[in-house]
């Protein structure tokens, strides 16, 4: 793998030998672990979960350079989805997007929430004002209701 200087970052590194090494999405029966990648407590907890379940095809979504389409496919075909709820979970768009996809693609029965001590349940204003603003679509009310039901 080598650094892609034209991109200015290493979001998805270039493959040095395309014929020898190809990036593959996670297996269809994998168990993705979703967490707030900017929260050290959440990332450490996700790592512990992945280590504990390492006999299964498990991985942390925050560690994978997945496009939106790859994330949809991964969640849609997952065995189940682990959601690590931490201090910043409710303001992390990347995690909220994963939760939204998991709720609608898998159903809340297939979600395994892990609540860390730093997580605080949202107040009514979050559901009425903040969450609809983060997902300003025609279906935001449907998502807000589903999210409220999940928590």
């Amino acid at each position: 793998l080598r650094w892609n200087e034209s991109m200015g970052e290493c979001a998805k590194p270039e493959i040095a030998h395309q014929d020898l090494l190809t990036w593959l999405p996670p297996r269809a029966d994998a168990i993705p672990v979703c967490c707030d990648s900017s929260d050290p407590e959440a990332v450490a907890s996700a790592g512990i979960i992945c280590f504990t379940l390492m006999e299964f095809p498990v991985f942390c979504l925050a560690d994978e350079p997945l496009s939106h389409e790859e994330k949809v496919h991964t969640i849609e075909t997952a065995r189940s989805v682990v959601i690590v709820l931490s201090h910043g979970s409710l303001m992390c768009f990347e995690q909220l997007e994963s939760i939204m996809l998991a709720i609608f693609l898998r159903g809340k029965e297939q979600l395994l929430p892990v609540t860390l001590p730093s997580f605080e349940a949202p107040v009514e204003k979050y559901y009425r004002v903040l969450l609809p603003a983060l997902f300003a679509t025609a279906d935001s009310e449907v998502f807000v209701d589903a999210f409220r039901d999940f928590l």
Side-chain angles (χ1 to χ4, degrees), residues 75-112:
I75 290 173
E76 195 171 42
T77 60
R79 180 180 300 198
S80 61
V81 180
V82 177
I83 308 290
V84 179
L85 298 167
S86 64
H87 175 71
S89 292
L90 299 179
M91 294 306 290
C92 175
F93 182 79
E94 184 178 271
Q95 186 175 19
L96 289 173
E97 177 190 37
S98 295
I99 293 170
M100 178 185 73
L101 289 171
I103 287 171
F104 288 109
L105 295 174
R106 303 293 302 159
K108 69 177 186 173
E109 309 80 36
Q110 296 295 315
L111 305 184
L112 304 170

Side-chain angles (χ1 to χ4, degrees), residues 33-78:
V33 179
C34 172
C35 71
D36 175 4
S37 61
S38 67
D39 184 341
E41 178 190 31
V43 173
S45 298
I48 291 168
I49 292 167
C50 289
F51 181 76
T52 304
L53 298 174
M54 67 185 201
E55 65 190 70
F56 300 101
V58 62
F59 67 97
C60 183
L61 276 174
D63 293 341
E64 298 293 328
L66 300 179
S67 68
H68 178 75
E69 291 77 20
E70 291 167 334
K71 189 183 285 188
V72 167
H73 173 74
T74 299
I75 290 173
E76 195 171 42
T77 60

Side-chain angles (χ1 to χ4, degrees), residues 108-122:
K108 69 177 186 173
E109 309 80 36
Q110 296 295 315
L111 305 184
L112 304 170
V114 176
T115 306
L116 301 182
S118 65
F119 179 74
E120 293 182 23

Side-chain angles (χ1 to χ4, degrees), residues 103 123-124 127-128 131 143-151:
I103 287 171
V123 295
E124 186 59 32
Y127 293 112
R128 281 188 293 110
L131 195 57
F143 172 65
V144 169
D145 290 342
F147 191 81
R148 182 191 309 261
D149 192 39
F150 165 68
L151 288 182

